[in-house]
Amino acid sequence: MSQTMETPELKSNGVITLVQDELETPPLSLRRLTWLRFRRHKLAVVGAVVLTLLFVYSFGGGLIFSESFANYTDTSLRLNAPSAEHPFGTDTIGRDILARTMYGGQISLLIGITAVLIETFVGVMIGALAGYYGGVIDNILMRITEAMLNIPEIFLLIVMAKFFGGRIPPIEFMGREYSGSVIVIVVIIGLTSWMYLARIVRAEFLSIKENEFILAARATGTNNFEIILRHILPNSVAPIIVSATLGVANAILNEAYISFLGLGVQPPTATWGNMLDGANNYLETAPWLWFFPGLLILLTVLSINFLGDGLRDAIDPHSRAT
């Protein structure tokens, strides 16, 4: 009989203790919850690690090899296969491919990042204005966006790169000299890639601007500029981050496309794309010319795509439960 009386008491104490533990456990912050969700996405974590290693490889390589060494030509070493002295082999004029992939990676990654900064700025600005103000402004901006979407991006990129490629002189930045074609490629890619982001931002603004906290901000006399920057835009940052992340991969691929056609970044500035162009006539006789830069492009694009998928899942507002 005593056992039957003790059981409910123990159960009751257990429930009380469990409830107290739950009440004392602080809730997870949004940042912590996002990190936990991202960490569960194994491919995204692998992508982030590989992408970090690629940045270290490209920018840390400048501490090991000088740019003059990467551009040094020695025809007696022409088309040497990979060896202990030249782990990635040499190209058609005797330059070390390992050093050139390091410096080429710097340009390819910088092109991807800076082009996405332009793309994000233009896309967010147009999408925000169209979504917030609506009416005539929305109609005009969306018709411009649709017109840009109807123009083949690669075709426009090739035409503009051909037209402007030789008109800008080389520039120096952080101790390196870049051909003017780098600026042309960055600006053209950035100005031809913003349309999808603009439509995403417009949809976010159309949805968020009808929420009660936006109506309250208007009622208190907050001006439109502050509402856009301080209230709506921070709540739209999730799809912007995902789109920008994936845009880096798209920009790197676009640069590789036109550089492979000989219309991108011009020598002596190396990129992974124009290194592939130099390997065009040696696909079978010297496969190391295209294998290493091609592999680096593949790893970069895959890593960014995995990272973008992980960020999308981690910051998805419709699935916060872990």
Side-chain angles (χ1 to χ4, degrees), residues 67 70-71 73 91-93 95 100 107 165-166 168-170 176-182 255 258-271 273-278:
E67 187 176 13
N71 293 329
T73 61
D91 64 7
T92 56
I93 54 177
R95 295 175 296 193
R100 288 186 64 77
I107 304 299
I168 299 179
R176 288 197 60 187
E177 182 178 281
Y178 302 94
S179 62
S181 54
V182 173
E255 183 276 325
I258 62 173
S259 292
F260 181 73
L261 297 175
L263 300 173
V265 178
Q266 300 299 312
T269 304
T271 70
N274 63 20
M275 290 180 71
L276 289 177
D277 176 46

PDB file of all heavy atoms in Angstrom, residues 67 70-71 73 91-93 95 100 107 165-166 168-170 176-182 255 258-271 273-278:
ATOM      1  N   GLU A  67      54.125  37.698 -57.753  1.00  0.00           N
ATOM      2  CA  GLU A  67      53.416  37.768 -59.027  1.00  0.00           C
ATOM      3  C   GLU A  67      54.390  37.717 -60.197  1.00  0.00           C
ATOM      4  O   GLU A  67      54.066  37.172 -61.259  1.00  0.00           O
ATOM      5  CB  GLU A  67      52.567  39.030 -59.102  1.00  0.00           C
ATOM      6  CG  GLU A  67      51.672  39.085 -60.320  1.00  0.00           C
ATOM      7  CD  GLU A  67      50.770  40.300 -60.338  1.00  0.00           C
ATOM      8  OE1 GLU A  67      51.003  41.217 -59.537  1.00  0.00           O
ATOM      9  OE2 GLU A  67      49.848  40.336 -61.176  1.00  0.00           O
ATOM     10  N   ALA A  70      54.938  34.186 -60.945  1.00  0.00           N
ATOM     11  CA  ALA A  70      53.785  33.596 -61.629  1.00  0.00           C
ATOM     12  C   ALA A  70      53.755  33.969 -63.109  1.00  0.00           C
ATOM     13  O   ALA A  70      53.259  33.195 -63.941  1.00  0.00           O
ATOM     14  CB  ALA A  70      52.490  34.036 -60.954  1.00  0.00           C
ATOM     15  N   ASN A  71      54.286  35.148 -63.454  1.00  0.00           N
ATOM     16  CA  ASN A  71      54.275  35.600 -64.850  1.00  0.00           C
ATOM     17  C   ASN A  71      55.615  35.370 -65.551  1.00  0.00           C
ATOM     18  O   ASN A  71      55.768  35.761 -66.719  1.00  0.00           O
ATOM     19  CB  ASN A  71      53.926  37.096 -64.911  1.00  0.00           C
ATOM     20  CG  ASN A  71      52.494  37.364 -64.477  1.00  0.00           C
ATOM     21  OD1 ASN A  71      51.606  36.538 -64.668  1.00  0.00           O
ATOM     22  ND2 ASN A  71      52.267  38.535 -63.890  1.00  0.00           N
ATOM     23  N   THR A  73      58.384  33.783 -67.674  1.00  0.00           N
ATOM     24  CA  THR A  73      58.360  32.843 -68.799  1.00  0.00           C
ATOM     25  C   THR A  73      59.747  32.252 -69.022  1.00  0.00           C
ATOM     26  O   THR A  73      60.770  32.941 -68.896  1.00  0.00           O
ATOM     27  CB  THR A  73      57.903  33.547 -70.090  1.00  0.00           C
ATOM     28  OG1 THR A  73      58.829  34.591 -70.415  1.00  0.00           O
ATOM     29  CG2 THR A  73      56.513  34.134 -69.913  1.00  0.00           C
ATOM     30  N   ASP A  91      52.971  25.952 -68.408  1.00  0.00           N
ATOM     31  CA  ASP A  91      52.095  26.211 -69.553  1.00  0.00           C
ATOM     32  C   ASP A  91      52.896  26.318 -70.840  1.00  0.00           C
ATOM     33  O   ASP A  91      54.056  25.915 -70.911  1.00  0.00           O
ATOM     34  CB  ASP A  91      51.240  27.447 -69.297  1.00  0.00           C
ATOM     35  CG  ASP A  91      52.068  28.721 -69.175  1.00  0.00           C
ATOM     36  OD1 ASP A  91      53.304  28.673 -69.421  1.00  0.00           O
ATOM     37  OD2 ASP A  91      51.493  29.773 -68.836  1.00  0.00           O
ATOM     38  N   THR A  92      52.270  26.883 -71.866  1.00  0.00           N
ATOM     39  CA  THR A  92      52.857  26.896 -73.208  1.00  0.00           C
ATOM     40  C   THR A  92      54.084  27.781 -73.336  1.00  0.00           C
ATOM     41  O   THR A  92      54.830  27.657 -74.301  1.00  0.00           O
ATOM     42  CB  THR A  92      51.805  27.348 -74.230  1.00  0.00           C
ATOM     43  OG1 THR A  92      51.282  28.622 -73.833  1.00  0.00           O
ATOM     44  CG2 THR A  92      50.666  26.341 -74.312  1.00  0.00           C
ATOM     45  N   ILE A  93      54.300  28.670 -72.379  1.00  0.00           N
ATOM     46  CA  ILE A  93      55.499  29.517 -72.429  1.00  0.00           C
ATOM     47  C   ILE A  93      56.335  29.356 -71.161  1.00  0.00           C
ATOM     48  O   ILE A  93      57.139  30.223 -70.819  1.00  0.00           O
ATOM     49  CB  ILE A  93      55.152  31.004 -72.665  1.00  0.00           C
ATOM     50  CG1 ILE A  93      54.148  31.507 -71.634  1.00  0.00           C
ATOM     51  CG2 ILE A  93      54.621  31.222 -74.062  1.00  0.00           C
ATOM     52  CD1 ILE A  93      53.825  33.006 -71.793  1.00  0.00           C
ATOM     53  N   ARG A  95      55.460  29.085 -67.864  1.00  0.00           N
ATOM     54  CA  ARG A  95      55.058  29.659 -66.574  1.00  0.00           C
ATOM     55  C   ARG A  95      54.539  28.572 -65.637  1.00  0.00           C
ATOM     56  O   ARG A  95      53.897  27.611 -66.082  1.00  0.00           O
ATOM     57  CB  ARG A  95      53.995  30.739 -66.778  1.00  0.00           C
ATOM     58  CG  ARG A  95      54.517  31.947 -67.539  1.00  0.00           C
ATOM     59  CD  ARG A  95      53.411  32.948 -67.826  1.00  0.00           C
ATOM     60  NE  ARG A  95      52.383  32.382 -68.708  1.00  0.00           N
ATOM     61  CZ  ARG A  95      51.452  33.109 -69.310  1.00  0.00           C
ATOM     62  NH1 ARG A  95      51.405  34.421 -69.110  1.00  0.00           N
ATOM     63  NH2 ARG A  95      50.564  32.523 -70.088  1.00  0.00           N
ATOM     64  N   ARG A 100      50.242  30.464 -60.960  1.00  0.00           N
ATOM     65  CA  ARG A 100      49.241  31.199 -61.732  1.00  0.00           C
ATOM     66  C   ARG A 100      47.819  30.878 -61.265  1.00  0.00           C
ATOM     67  O   ARG A 100      46.942  31.732 -61.326  1.00  0.00           O
ATOM     68  CB  ARG A 100      49.398  30.891 -63.226  1.00  0.00           C
ATOM     69  CG  ARG A 100      50.626  31.543 -63.818  1.00  0.00           C
ATOM     70  CD  ARG A 100      50.709  31.377 -65.311  1.00  0.00           C
ATOM     71  NE  ARG A 100      49.625  32.039 -66.024  1.00  0.00           N
ATOM     72  CZ  ARG A 100      49.564  33.352 -66.236  1.00  0.00           C
ATOM     73  NH1 ARG A 100      50.505  34.150 -65.746  1.00  0.00           N
ATOM     74  NH2 ARG A 100      48.566  33.866 -66.921  1.00  0.00           N
ATOM     75  N   ILE A 107      41.878  36.883 -58.692  1.00  0.00           N
ATOM     76  CA  ILE A 107      41.077  37.689 -59.615  1.00  0.00           C
ATOM     77  C   ILE A 107      39.684  37.094 -59.770  1.00  0.00           C
ATOM     78  O   ILE A 107      38.678  37.821 -59.725  1.00  0.00           O
ATOM     79  CB  ILE A 107      41.774  37.779 -60.988  1.00  0.00           C
ATOM     80  CG1 ILE A 107      43.180  38.342 -60.830  1.00  0.00           C
ATOM     81  CG2 ILE A 107      40.967  38.656 -61.932  1.00  0.00           C
ATOM     82  CD1 ILE A 107      43.229  39.736 -60.256  1.00  0.00           C
ATOM     83  N   GLY A 165      36.484  46.258 -73.811  1.00  0.00           N
ATOM     84  CA  GLY A 165      37.644  45.562 -73.282  1.00  0.00           C
ATOM     85  C   GLY A 165      38.954  46.289 -73.453  1.00  0.00           C
ATOM     86  O   GLY A 165      39.770  46.335 -72.536  1.00  0.00           O
ATOM     87  N   GLY A 166      39.232  46.868 -74.612  1.00  0.00           N
ATOM     88  CA  GLY A 166      40.518  47.504 -74.853  1.00  0.00           C
ATOM     89  C   GLY A 166      40.524  48.998 -74.640  1.00  0.00           C
ATOM     90  O   GLY A 166      41.510  49.656 -74.977  1.00  0.00           O
ATOM     91  N   ILE A 168      39.975  50.628 -71.615  1.00  0.00           N
ATOM     92  CA  ILE A 168      40.322  51.052 -70.263  1.00  0.00           C
ATOM     93  C   ILE A 168      41.757  50.634 -69.978  1.00  0.00           C
ATOM     94  O   ILE A 168      42.111  49.466 -70.141  1.00  0.00           O
ATOM     95  CB  ILE A 168      39.360  50.429 -69.228  1.00  0.00           C
ATOM     96  CG1 ILE A 168      37.930  50.882 -69.511  1.00  0.00           C
ATOM     97  CG2 ILE A 168      39.770  50.804 -67.813  1.00  0.00           C
ATOM     98  CD1 ILE A 168      36.907  50.315 -68.562  1.00  0.00           C
ATOM     99  N   PRO A 169      42.622  51.567 -69.561  1.00  0.00           N
ATOM    100  CA  PRO A 169      44.029  51.238 -69.316  1.00  0.00           C
ATOM    101  C   PRO A 169      44.190  50.391 -68.058  1.00  0.00           C
ATOM    102  O   PRO A 169      43.284  50.322 -67.217  1.00  0.00           O
ATOM    103  CB  PRO A 169      44.682  52.621 -69.139  1.00  0.00           C
ATOM    104  CG  PRO A 169      43.567  53.494 -68.644  1.00  0.00           C
ATOM    105  CD  PRO A 169      42.327  52.997 -69.326  1.00  0.00           C
ATOM    106  N   PRO A 170      45.330  49.719 -67.905  1.00  0.00           N
ATOM    107  CA  PRO A 170      45.581  48.931 -66.685  1.00  0.00           C
ATOM    108  C   PRO A 170      45.541  49.822 -65.439  1.00  0.00           C
ATOM    109  O   PRO A 170      45.836  51.017 -65.490  1.00  0.00           O
ATOM    110  CB  PRO A 170      46.978  48.352 -66.917  1.00  0.00           C
ATOM    111  CG  PRO A 170      47.162  48.394 -68.402  1.00  0.00           C
ATOM    112  CD  PRO A 170      46.422  49.600 -68.881  1.00  0.00           C
ATOM    113  N   ARG A 176      49.161  45.434 -56.979  1.00  0.00           N
ATOM    114  CA  ARG A 176      49.051  44.589 -58.170  1.00  0.00           C
ATOM    115  C   ARG A 176      48.530  45.405 -59.334  1.00  0.00           C
ATOM    116  O   ARG A 176      47.743  46.331 -59.159  1.00  0.00           O
ATOM    117  CB  ARG A 176      48.106  43.412 -57.916  1.00  0.00           C
ATOM    118  CG  ARG A 176      48.651  42.354 -56.993  1.00  0.00           C
ATOM    119  CD  ARG A 176      47.840  41.079 -57.135  1.00  0.00           C
ATOM    120  NE  ARG A 176      47.902  40.566 -58.496  1.00  0.00           N
ATOM    121  CZ  ARG A 176      47.187  39.536 -58.931  1.00  0.00           C
ATOM    122  NH1 ARG A 176      46.357  38.917 -58.112  1.00  0.00           N
ATOM    123  NH2 ARG A 176      47.300  39.117 -60.181  1.00  0.00           N
ATOM    124  N   GLU A 177      48.969  45.041 -60.522  1.00  0.00           N
ATOM    125  CA  GLU A 177      48.465  45.705 -61.721  1.00  0.00           C
ATOM    126  C   GLU A 177      47.424  44.814 -62.383  1.00  0.00           C
ATOM    127  O   GLU A 177      47.662  43.636 -62.628  1.00  0.00           O
ATOM    128  CB  GLU A 177      49.608  45.981 -62.703  1.00  0.00           C
ATOM    129  CG  GLU A 177      49.145  46.733 -63.959  1.00  0.00           C
ATOM    130  CD  GLU A 177      50.279  47.061 -64.906  1.00  0.00           C
ATOM    131  OE1 GLU A 177      51.012  48.024 -64.638  1.00  0.00           O
ATOM    132  OE2 GLU A 177      50.425  46.323 -65.906  1.00  0.00           O
ATOM    133  N   TYR A 178      46.265  45.400 -62.651  1.00  0.00           N
ATOM    134  CA  TYR A 178      45.162  44.664 -63.268  1.00  0.00           C
ATOM    135  C   TYR A 178      44.864  45.277 -64.627  1.00  0.00           C
ATOM    136  O   TYR A 178      44.863  46.510 -64.778  1.00  0.00           O
ATOM    137  CB  TYR A 178      43.902  44.729 -62.402  1.00  0.00           C
ATOM    138  CG  TYR A 178      44.086  44.201 -60.999  1.00  0.00           C
ATOM    139  CD1 TYR A 178      44.402  45.058 -59.950  1.00  0.00           C
ATOM    140  CD2 TYR A 178      43.949  42.850 -60.733  1.00  0.00           C
ATOM    141  CE1 TYR A 178      44.568  44.574 -58.663  1.00  0.00           C
ATOM    142  CE2 TYR A 178      44.106  42.360 -59.445  1.00  0.00           C
ATOM    143  CZ  TYR A 178      44.419  43.225 -58.419  1.00  0.00           C
ATOM    144  OH  TYR A 178      44.582  42.747 -57.147  1.00  0.00           O
ATOM    145  N   SER A 179      44.593  44.419 -65.597  1.00  0.00           N
ATOM    146  CA  SER A 179      44.180  44.941 -66.893  1.00  0.00           C
ATOM    147  C   SER A 179      42.809  45.596 -66.756  1.00  0.00           C
ATOM    148  O   SER A 179      41.998  45.222 -65.900  1.00  0.00           O
ATOM    149  CB  SER A 179      44.129  43.807 -67.923  1.00  0.00           C
ATOM    150  OG  SER A 179      43.180  42.836 -67.551  1.00  0.00           O
ATOM    151  N   GLY A 180      42.563  46.606 -67.597  1.00  0.00           N
ATOM    152  CA  GLY A 180      41.296  47.326 -67.527  1.00  0.00           C
ATOM    153  C   GLY A 180      40.097  46.436 -67.756  1.00  0.00           C
ATOM    154  O   GLY A 180      38.974  46.769 -67.355  1.00  0.00           O
ATOM    155  N   SER A 181      40.313  45.295 -68.384  1.00  0.00           N
ATOM    156  CA  SER A 181      39.207  44.377 -68.639  1.00  0.00           C
ATOM    157  C   SER A 181      38.596  43.834 -67.347  1.00  0.00           C
ATOM    158  O   SER A 181      37.439  43.428 -67.329  1.00  0.00           O
ATOM    159  CB  SER A 181      39.678  43.215 -69.518  1.00  0.00           C
ATOM    160  OG  SER A 181      40.809  42.572 -68.960  1.00  0.00           O
ATOM    161  N   VAL A 182      39.372  43.836 -66.247  1.00  0.00           N
ATOM    162  CA  VAL A 182      38.831  43.372 -64.966  1.00  0.00           C
ATOM    163  C   VAL A 182      37.672  44.264 -64.546  1.00  0.00           C
ATOM    164  O   VAL A 182      36.597  43.787 -64.136  1.00  0.00           O
ATOM    165  CB  VAL A 182      39.931  43.357 -63.887  1.00  0.00           C
ATOM    166  CG1 VAL A 182      39.330  43.040 -62.519  1.00  0.00           C
ATOM    167  CG2 VAL A 182      41.011  42.354 -64.233  1.00  0.00           C
ATOM    168  N   GLU A 255      32.489  34.849 -65.842  1.00  0.00           N
ATOM    169  CA  GLU A 255      33.839  35.309 -66.181  1.00  0.00           C
ATOM    170  C   GLU A 255      34.612  34.207 -66.886  1.00  0.00           C
ATOM    171  O   GLU A 255      35.346  34.458 -67.847  1.00  0.00           O
ATOM    172  CB  GLU A 255      34.560  35.751 -64.901  1.00  0.00           C
ATOM    173  CG  GLU A 255      35.953  36.312 -65.130  1.00  0.00           C
ATOM    174  CD  GLU A 255      37.037  35.249 -65.235  1.00  0.00           C
ATOM    175  OE1 GLU A 255      36.930  34.217 -64.522  1.00  0.00           O
ATOM    176  OE2 GLU A 255      37.981  35.429 -66.035  1.00  0.00           O
ATOM    177  N   ILE A 258      33.402  33.886 -70.712  1.00  0.00           N
ATOM    178  CA  ILE A 258      33.895  34.856 -71.696  1.00  0.00           C
ATOM    179  C   ILE A 258      35.418  34.865 -71.772  1.00  0.00           C
ATOM    180  O   ILE A 258      35.991  35.170 -72.817  1.00  0.00           O
ATOM    181  CB  ILE A 258      33.347  36.269 -71.413  1.00  0.00           C
ATOM    182  CG1 ILE A 258      33.805  36.774 -70.042  1.00  0.00           C
ATOM    183  CG2 ILE A 258      31.842  36.307 -71.514  1.00  0.00           C
ATOM    184  CD1 ILE A 258      33.429  38.216 -69.808  1.00  0.00           C
ATOM    185  N   SER A 259      36.100  34.523 -70.672  1.00  0.00           N
ATOM    186  CA  SER A 259      37.557  34.413 -70.730  1.00  0.00           C
ATOM    187  C   SER A 259      37.968  33.236 -71.586  1.00  0.00           C
ATOM    188  O   SER A 259      38.973  33.281 -72.296  1.00  0.00           O
ATOM    189  CB  SER A 259      38.134  34.277 -69.317  1.00  0.00           C
ATOM    190  OG  SER A 259      37.964  35.462 -68.573  1.00  0.00           O
ATOM    191  N   PHE A 260      37.191  32.147 -71.531  1.00  0.00           N
ATOM    192  CA  PHE A 260      37.462  30.988 -72.377  1.00  0.00           C
ATOM    193  C   PHE A 260      37.331  31.353 -73.853  1.00  0.00           C
ATOM    194  O   PHE A 260      38.027  30.800 -74.700  1.00  0.00           O
ATOM    195  CB  PHE A 260      36.510  29.855 -72.022  1.00  0.00           C
ATOM    196  CG  PHE A 260      36.726  28.607 -72.835  1.00  0.00           C
ATOM    197  CD1 PHE A 260      37.824  27.800 -72.607  1.00  0.00           C
ATOM    198  CD2 PHE A 260      35.840  28.252 -73.830  1.00  0.00           C
ATOM    199  CE1 PHE A 260      38.037  26.648 -73.362  1.00  0.00           C
ATOM    200  CE2 PHE A 260      36.035  27.103 -74.594  1.00  0.00           C
ATOM    201  CZ  PHE A 260      37.142  26.304 -74.353  1.00  0.00           C
ATOM    202  N   LEU A 261      36.453  32.326 -74.159  1.00  0.00           N
ATOM    203  CA  LEU A 261      36.286  32.783 -75.536  1.00  0.00           C
ATOM    204  C   LEU A 261      37.298  33.866 -75.918  1.00  0.00           C
ATOM    205  O   LEU A 261      37.278  34.357 -77.049  1.00  0.00           O
ATOM    206  CB  LEU A 261      34.865  33.322 -75.732  1.00  0.00           C
ATOM    207  CG  LEU A 261      33.728  32.308 -75.541  1.00  0.00           C
ATOM    208  CD1 LEU A 261      32.380  33.005 -75.632  1.00  0.00           C
ATOM    209  CD2 LEU A 261      33.831  31.190 -76.562  1.00  0.00           C
ATOM    210  N   GLY A 262      38.176  34.219 -74.976  1.00  0.00           N
ATOM    211  CA  GLY A 262      39.191  35.227 -75.263  1.00  0.00           C
ATOM    212  C   GLY A 262      38.707  36.650 -75.142  1.00  0.00           C
ATOM    213  O   GLY A 262      39.402  37.582 -75.558  1.00  0.00           O
ATOM    214  N   LEU A 263      37.526  36.867 -74.538  1.00  0.00           N
ATOM    215  CA  LEU A 263      36.952  38.209 -74.432  1.00  0.00           C
ATOM    216  C   LEU A 263      36.902  38.708 -73.002  1.00  0.00           C
ATOM    217  O   LEU A 263      36.372  39.785 -72.747  1.00  0.00           O
ATOM    218  CB  LEU A 263      35.523  38.212 -75.013  1.00  0.00           C
ATOM    219  CG  LEU A 263      35.412  37.816 -76.484  1.00  0.00           C
ATOM    220  CD1 LEU A 263      33.945  37.694 -76.885  1.00  0.00           C
ATOM    221  CD2 LEU A 263      36.120  38.845 -77.363  1.00  0.00           C
ATOM    222  N   GLY A 264      37.431  37.941 -72.076  1.00  0.00           N
ATOM    223  CA  GLY A 264      37.359  38.326 -70.674  1.00  0.00           C
ATOM    224  C   GLY A 264      38.593  39.082 -70.230  1.00  0.00           C
ATOM    225  O   GLY A 264      39.109  39.949 -70.939  1.00  0.00           O
ATOM    226  N   VAL A 265      39.066  38.756 -69.042  1.00  0.00           N
ATOM    227  CA  VAL A 265      40.262  39.394 -68.497  1.00  0.00           C
ATOM    228  C   VAL A 265      41.455  39.026 -69.368  1.00  0.00           C
ATOM    229  O   VAL A 265      41.702  37.853 -69.654  1.00  0.00           O
ATOM    230  CB  VAL A 265      40.491  38.944 -67.041  1.00  0.00           C
ATOM    231  CG1 VAL A 265      41.753  39.563 -66.477  1.00  0.00           C
ATOM    232  CG2 VAL A 265      39.276  39.310 -66.175  1.00  0.00           C
ATOM    233  N   GLN A 266      42.204  40.041 -69.766  1.00  0.00           N
ATOM    234  CA  GLN A 266      43.292  39.831 -70.717  1.00  0.00           C
ATOM    235  C   GLN A 266      44.629  39.644 -70.010  1.00  0.00           C
ATOM    236  O   GLN A 266      44.859  40.188 -68.926  1.00  0.00           O
ATOM    237  CB  GLN A 266      43.381  41.022 -71.678  1.00  0.00           C
ATOM    238  CG  GLN A 266      42.115  41.245 -72.498  1.00  0.00           C
ATOM    239  CD  GLN A 266      41.787  40.051 -73.376  1.00  0.00           C
ATOM    240  OE1 GLN A 266      42.650  39.522 -74.068  1.00  0.00           O
ATOM    241  NE2 GLN A 266      40.528  39.628 -73.339  1.00  0.00           N
ATOM    242  N   PRO A 267      45.531  38.854 -70.615  1.00  0.00           N
ATOM    243  CA  PRO A 267      46.882  38.689 -70.074  1.00  0.00           C
ATOM    244  C   PRO A 267      47.584  40.053 -70.003  1.00  0.00           C
ATOM    245  O   PRO A 267      47.230  40.955 -70.763  1.00  0.00           O
ATOM    246  CB  PRO A 267      47.564  37.764 -71.087  1.00  0.00           C
ATOM    247  CG  PRO A 267      46.432  37.053 -71.764  1.00  0.00           C
ATOM    248  CD  PRO A 267      45.309  38.043 -71.803  1.00  0.00           C
ATOM    249  N   PRO A 268      48.546  40.215 -69.101  1.00  0.00           N
ATOM    250  CA  PRO A 268      49.165  39.157 -68.281  1.00  0.00           C
ATOM    251  C   PRO A 268      48.379  38.796 -67.014  1.00  0.00           C
ATOM    252  O   PRO A 268      48.806  37.912 -66.279  1.00  0.00           O
ATOM    253  CB  PRO A 268      50.508  39.776 -67.908  1.00  0.00           C
ATOM    254  CG  PRO A 268      50.228  41.236 -67.830  1.00  0.00           C
ATOM    255  CD  PRO A 268      49.222  41.510 -68.909  1.00  0.00           C
ATOM    256  N   THR A 269      47.265  39.496 -66.748  1.00  0.00           N
ATOM    257  CA  THR A 269      46.467  39.156 -65.567  1.00  0.00           C
ATOM    258  C   THR A 269      45.864  37.770 -65.752  1.00  0.00           C
ATOM    259  O   THR A 269      45.191  37.509 -66.742  1.00  0.00           O
ATOM    260  CB  THR A 269      45.350  40.186 -65.352  1.00  0.00           C
ATOM    261  OG1 THR A 269      45.927  41.498 -65.260  1.00  0.00           O
ATOM    262  CG2 THR A 269      44.590  39.887 -64.074  1.00  0.00           C
ATOM    263  N   ALA A 270      46.112  36.883 -64.793  1.00  0.00           N
ATOM    264  CA  ALA A 270      45.619  35.513 -64.894  1.00  0.00           C
ATOM    265  C   ALA A 270      44.298  35.359 -64.152  1.00  0.00           C
ATOM    266  O   ALA A 270      44.093  35.942 -63.089  1.00  0.00           O
ATOM    267  CB  ALA A 270      46.643  34.542 -64.307  1.00  0.00           C
ATOM    268  N   THR A 271      43.386  34.602 -64.729  1.00  0.00           N
ATOM    269  CA  THR A 271      42.195  34.113 -64.043  1.00  0.00           C
ATOM    270  C   THR A 271      42.047  32.638 -64.399  1.00  0.00           C
ATOM    271  O   THR A 271      42.647  32.156 -65.363  1.00  0.00           O
ATOM    272  CB  THR A 271      40.920  34.863 -64.463  1.00  0.00           C
ATOM    273  OG1 THR A 271      40.579  34.504 -65.812  1.00  0.00           O
ATOM    274  CG2 THR A 271      41.096  36.368 -64.363  1.00  0.00           C
ATOM    275  N   GLY A 273      39.555  31.370 -65.717  1.00  0.00           N
ATOM    276  CA  GLY A 273      38.894  31.317 -67.019  1.00  0.00           C
ATOM    277  C   GLY A 273      39.851  31.460 -68.179  1.00  0.00           C
ATOM    278  O   GLY A 273      39.814  30.655 -69.131  1.00  0.00           O
ATOM    279  N   ASN A 274      40.734  32.483 -68.149  1.00  0.00           N
ATOM    280  CA  ASN A 274      41.635  32.635 -69.294  1.00  0.00           C
ATOM    281  C   ASN A 274      42.755  31.604 -69.295  1.00  0.00           C
ATOM    282  O   ASN A 274      43.410  31.384 -70.311  1.00  0.00           O
ATOM    283  CB  ASN A 274      42.179  34.069 -69.401  1.00  0.00           C
ATOM    284  CG  ASN A 274      43.030  34.495 -68.229  1.00  0.00           C
ATOM    285  OD1 ASN A 274      43.560  33.676 -67.482  1.00  0.00           O
ATOM    286  ND2 ASN A 274      43.159  35.804 -68.046  1.00  0.00           N
ATOM    287  N   MET A 275      42.979  30.941 -68.143  1.00  0.00           N
ATOM    288  CA  MET A 275      43.908  29.804 -68.160  1.00  0.00           C
ATOM    289  C   MET A 275      43.299  28.636 -68.932  1.00  0.00           C
ATOM    290  O   MET A 275      44.009  27.904 -69.635  1.00  0.00           O
ATOM    291  CB  MET A 275      44.245  29.381 -66.727  1.00  0.00           C
ATOM    292  CG  MET A 275      45.120  30.382 -65.980  1.00  0.00           C
ATOM    293  SD  MET A 275      45.510  29.854 -64.298  1.00  0.00           S
ATOM    294  CE  MET A 275      46.651  28.501 -64.643  1.00  0.00           C
ATOM    295  N   LEU A 276      41.997  28.462 -68.826  1.00  0.00           N
ATOM    296  CA  LEU A 276      41.329  27.441 -69.630  1.00  0.00           C
ATOM    297  C   LEU A 276      41.402  27.777 -71.113  1.00  0.00           C
ATOM    298  O   LEU A 276      41.531  26.880 -71.953  1.00  0.00           O
ATOM    299  CB  LEU A 276      39.867  27.313 -69.196  1.00  0.00           C
ATOM    300  CG  LEU A 276      39.607  26.671 -67.827  1.00  0.00           C
ATOM    301  CD1 LEU A 276      38.121  26.682 -67.521  1.00  0.00           C
ATOM    302  CD2 LEU A 276      40.140  25.252 -67.793  1.00  0.00           C
ATOM    303  N   ASP A 277      41.305  29.051 -71.439  1.00  0.00           N
ATOM    304  CA  ASP A 277      41.403  29.462 -72.843  1.00  0.00           C
ATOM    305  C   ASP A 277      42.770  29.083 -73.411  1.00  0.00           C
ATOM    306  O   ASP A 277      42.880  28.625 -74.549  1.00  0.00           O
ATOM    307  CB  ASP A 277      41.176  30.975 -72.952  1.00  0.00           C
ATOM    308  CG  ASP A 277      41.352  31.486 -74.372  1.00  0.00           C
ATOM    309  OD1 ASP A 277      40.805  30.857 -75.298  1.00  0.00           O
ATOM    310  OD2 ASP A 277      42.045  32.504 -74.548  1.00  0.00           O
ATOM    311  N   GLY A 278      43.827  29.241 -72.608  1.00  0.00           N
ATOM    312  CA  GLY A 278      45.161  28.883 -73.076  1.00  0.00           C
ATOM    313  C   GLY A 278      45.359  27.398 -73.254  1.00  0.00           C
ATOM    314  O   GLY A 278      46.290  26.966 -73.941  1.00  0.00           O
TER     315      GLY A 278
END
